[in-house]
């Protein structure tokens, strides 16, 4: 169930789609690597992890370990699950810092209760909506996944699952099975008005009903239980993909804003923030 930085086309089960050649091509694609890093950063941010200690996270559909790289950079530990042997082989070759498990999450999460401080998943959960075998029932596989994930997560923790739903029915199916398994929370949608930059993050709470985080690039709206309606309007200039140009003033201000929300110490914004300095001779 390898995650990817692109919207997947359903061409059979992920363990067959991501063969050795596809796994290597995917991991070496600079655009995919960049998008994966951005989505991993956002997913970890939405987890709301404590600042004073390292946490143990579960990465569902870890693939070749690109999302795990960001978790390690943030000083946390992780265990990754994936159904694709080829993807995990690439992860081993890359000597990722997390532990790896070859498994189909549709069969459940095989870890002891309360083991993880959080869970992320990048572009993987939508695979469970496909019936690749006659014995596969998407609702049953989704419920098995969510119910065992709920058990494996510590009380008060979160799971943040970035996904690419094919349609509203698929989105409703995924959300309904998560709520049935005991989770609360809802969908956080970043940049909902952008065709290319729009991203869905299913933000789930374990044992407590927390406040649903706000989506990026959205206007103020009323929130309803288990539903994504967000605020935090952003009107800065963006490139054609809906994102601020890297290293620009807008990009720097957004990064500083994210770090402030995480409770990190950040220098105050001034008229010199993001200004290019003249070269010294």
């Amino acid at each position: 169930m390898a995650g990817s930085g692109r919207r997947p086309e359903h061409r059979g089960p992920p363990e067959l789609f991501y063969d050795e050649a596809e796994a290597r091509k995917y991991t070496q694609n600079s655009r995919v690597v960049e998008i994966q890093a951005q989505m991993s950063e956002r997913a970890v941010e939405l987890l709301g992890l404590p600042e004073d200690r390292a946490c143990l996270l579960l990465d569902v559909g870890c693939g070749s370990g690109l999302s795990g790289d960001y978790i390690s950079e943030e000083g946390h530990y992780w265990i990754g699950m994936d159904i694709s042997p080829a993807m995990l082989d690439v992860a081993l070759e890359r000597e990722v810092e997390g532990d790896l498990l070859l498994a189909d999450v549709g069969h459940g999460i095989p870890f002891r209760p309360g083991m993880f401080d959080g869970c992320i998943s990048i572009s993987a959960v939508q695979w469970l909506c496909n019936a690749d075998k006659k014995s596969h029932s998407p609702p049953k596989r989704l419920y098995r996944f969510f119910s065992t994930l709920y058990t494996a997560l510590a009380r008060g923790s979160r799971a943040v699952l970035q996904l690419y739903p094919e349609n509203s029915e698929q989105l409703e199916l995924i959300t309904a099975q998560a709520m049935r398994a005991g989770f609360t929370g809802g969908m956080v949608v970043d940049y909902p008005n952008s065709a290319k930059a729009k991203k869905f993050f299913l933000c789930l709470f374990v044992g407590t009903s927390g406040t649903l985080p706000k989506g990026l690039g959205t206007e103020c709206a009323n929130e309803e239980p288990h539903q994504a309606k967000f605020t935090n309007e952003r009107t800065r200039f963006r490139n054609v993909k809906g994102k601020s140009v890297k290293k620009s003033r807008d990009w720097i201000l957004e990064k500083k804003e994210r770090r402030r929300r995480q409770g990190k110490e950040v220098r105050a914004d001034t008229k010199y923030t993001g200004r290019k300095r003249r070269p010294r001779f």
Side-chain angles (χ1 to χ4, degrees), residues 6 12 26-28 43 45 50 67 93 108 110 112 129 136 141 145 158 163 188 216 251 268 273 277:
R6 64 192 178 201
Y26 158 84
T27 307
Q28 294 169 358
E45 176 187 348
S67 48
E93 290 177 9
R112 61 182 173 80
C129 295
H136 282 182
R141 284 169 59 76
F145 163 64
R158 299 181 187 180
L163 49 91
V188 175
L216 303 179
W251 182 86
T273 301
R277 302 178 186 272

Side-chain angles (χ1 to χ4, degrees), residues 205-218:
F205 304 102
V206 181
T208 57
S209 229
T211 301
L212 202 63
K214 299 174 182 179
L216 303 179
T218 55

